[in-house]
Amino acid sequence: MSYKVRLLATALASVGMALPALADDETITVGFATAQSGAMQAYDKPADEAAMIRIEEINAAGGLLGKQIQVVTADTKSDRAEGAKAGLSVLDQGADLVIVSCDYDFGAPAALAAQDAGIVSFFSCAESVKAGIQGVGPLSFSGSVLAPVQGAAMAEWAFKEKDAKTFYKLLDTWTVYNKGICDGFDWMMPKLEEQGAKLVGEDTFKNEDASIAAQITRIKALPEEPDAIMLCTMMPGGVSAVKQLRAAGINSMILNGSGMDGSYWLSAVPDLSNFYIPVQASIYGDDPNPDVKKFNEAYKAKTGADPSSQYVYPGYVAVDVWSKAVERAGTTEAEAVVAELEKMKDEPTLFGPRTFTSELHHQANARYLVVNVDKGKPGVVGEWTLSEPVPMEAILK
């Protein structure tokens, strides 16, 4: 059924007119308007594969509302214009849910198409508040956790668990995601300063910068090396920044966001240590939840490879929470499903609880596992949940 027909059906239903079934009553359709080629494929493909695992589980258990879930796909080719076309394509194929790219900029065109059609969309793993109500509309959600939560959580954890007292902020200005990490850090720092912490300096760089020598010089000019550097960055420039910091003899604890999860880049910084990131679950075989280990095994059996980073997991969560909302609503109709999603408070999922409200279709708090890289080997060393959620004014900064 085309998205125009769905709009007509919604309009007629709103004035109380009965309509015959316009779609296949035997199936429910999930459309993936994601990158099957190009740069975004590295993020979208693993999340899509995790979402497919959840769909297969639901189908094996009898389906959703007693119906099997079928999947339709369209390739955004990691291009914004193609993203809009991909969104329209899966809508024309009858999508009841549209899964869009992990990044807000790349996923928004397809999500906006779904919003216009009156269909729920989920960004598989976007962590900007714009990937939801604020940037798309009330039918849009994300399966992941906001970037400001990551920055705030790592600062609070380092202060309370590692006794870090002096902090230095180093922001990569390339993406909204990077800025979001530091926004959360900025919100947390005054609270820590009241308890004895101190921000001893801050600086910026660009992801494509071949050298951050000037920034390193300013760090080394401090009276003492900071206990922790809040490095708000992501691939690929994040690898270069970490390598240069360590090559310059700066041994401070480096804190980062989830975007640096994964062991695939560690050979570029041999024997890296004292490097910490927050993750929703561990890909390293040491997650304290045995169900996560089972999922990792299932993922490898399906794909032939271990999960590459924690961004695999939000794809599973997106389908999981949407399907629960559909069951509770007794329909795939968007407004009813959104109403059930917005009732979710600490909803259990395999990768941590989820809460949605009428103001925020993201997570303002989350339980994170903390991964440390020690002599080139990553592993879980603790877990942390913020003492309070990040407020909207910090999220929308």
Side-chain angles (χ1 to χ4, degrees):
M1 175 173 56
S2 75
Y3 71 98
K4 292 181 179 178
V5 173
R6 287 184 179 275
L7 281 176
L8 175 62
T10 301
L12 292 175
S14 69
V15 295
M17 295 184 65
L19 289 170
L22 296 177
D24 180 0
D25 285 335
E26 302 303 317
T27 60
I28 288 173
T29 303
V30 173
F32 288 82
T34 54
Q36 297 157 34
S37 58
M40 281 302 298
Q41 183 187 27
Y43 293 93
D44 289 0
K45 185 173 182 287
D48 289 356
E49 290 167 340
M52 282 300 305
I53 289 174
R54 185 68 188 114
I55 289 171
E56 291 169 2
E57 290 173 348
I58 292 169
N59 283 341
L64 184 58
L65 301 179
K67 304 174 185 180
Q68 291 290 288
I69 299 175
Q70 66 175 358
V71 170
V72 296
T73 65
D75 186 7
T76 68
K77 303 176 184 178
S78 299
D79 179 86
R80 292 173 179 84
E82 292 294 330
K85 294 177 185 177
L88 294 174
S89 175
V90 298
L91 289 165
D92 281 335
Q93 295 176 74
D96 298 293
L97 167 69
V98 179
I99 302 290
V100 305
S101 277
C102 185
D103 177 75
Y104 166 71
D105 291 321
F106 288 95
L112 286 165
Q115 178 70 38
D116 289 344
I119 300 298
V120 173
S121 68
F122 259 90
F123 288 79
S124 57
C125 52
E127 294 170 342
S128 164
V129 71
K130 291 183 178 181
I133 299 171
Q134 286 72 18
V136 176
L139 305 184
S140 185
F141 295 76
S142 176
S144 199
V145 180
L146 287 166
V149 181
Q150 300 168 26
M154 291 311 293
E156 188 176 50
W157 174 82
F159 178 76
K160 295 192 173 180
E161 294 294 307
K162 300 295 285 184
D163 200 32
K165 293 295 191 295
T166 56
F167 291 80
Y168 193 96
K169 182 178 79 170
L170 188 53
L171 168 63
D172 168 5
T173 59
W174 183 38
T175 64
V176 172
Y177 166 75
N178 295 342
K179 182 178 180 295
I181 298 170
C182 273
D183 286 345
F185 175 81
D186 290 343
W187 168 73
M188 177 55 68
M189 272 310 300
K191 300 176 182 297
L192 301 183
E193 287 172 338
E194 292 175 356
Q195 303 171 61
K198 184 178 181 181
L199 181 65
V200 296
E202 56 186 292
D203 215 331
T204 64
F205 69 104
K206 295 180 180 179
N207 197 267
E208 66 268 26
D209 287 345
S211 171
I212 60 167
Q215 293 87 340
I216 287 173
T217 296
R218 289 188 281 272
I219 294 172
K220 290 181 74 69
L222 293 169
E224 293 183 353
E225 188 173 277
D227 294 330
I229 296 173
M230 185 72 244
L231 181 60
C232 306
T233 190
M234 60 185 295
M235 306 296 184
V239 180
S240 175
V242 171
K243 185 175 183 177
Q244 291 179 65
L245 286 166
R246 289 297 188 248
I250 296 173
N251 297 312
S252 304
M253 179 190 317
I254 298 177
L255 312 174
N256 213 309
S258 304
M260 294 290 285
D261 186 31
S263 59
Y264 56 92
W265 61 273
L266 292 176
S267 61
V269 192
D271 296 321
L272 175 65
S273 292
N274 212 20
F275 179 88
Y276 298 88
I277 56 170
V279 298
Q280 296 170 52
S282 174
I283 66 173
Y284 305 109
D286 57 355
D287 196 290
N289 182 351
D291 289 335
V292 171
K293 296 178 182 178
K294 290 179 182 177
F295 171 86
N296 291 344
E297 292 170 359
Y299 181 89
K300 185 172 184 177
K302 179 177 176 61
T303 68
D306 293 315
S308 57
S309 81
Q310 68 111 44
Y311 287 107
V312 167
Y313 305 126
Y316 184 100
V317 170
V319 172
D320 185 48
V321 294
W322 176 78
S323 64
K324 289 176 180 176
V326 168
E327 286 286 1
R328 293 167 191 174
T331 178
T332 58
E333 192 276 323
E335 289 188 8
V337 172
V338 168
E340 290 299 328
L341 283 164
E342 290 177 348
K343 292 176 185 176
M344 291 183 177
K345 181 174 174 57
D346 296 329
E347 181 73 25
T349 81
L350 190 58
F351 306 108
R354 292 293 188 271
T355 296
F356 302 106
T357 71
S358 60
E359 294 183 342
L360 188 63
H361 288 176
H362 286 264
Q363 307 308 300
N365 204 351
R367 185 277 288 156
Y368 274 117
L369 297 178
V370 178
V371 168
N372 176 38
V373 179
D374 181 40
K375 297 179 181 178
K377 295 185 181 299
V380 174
V381 293
E383 64 179 72
W384 195 255
T385 302
L386 282 173
S387 54
E388 60 182 289
V390 180
M392 286 295 290
E393 56 264 29
I395 291 170
L396 296 173
K397 183 178 175 183

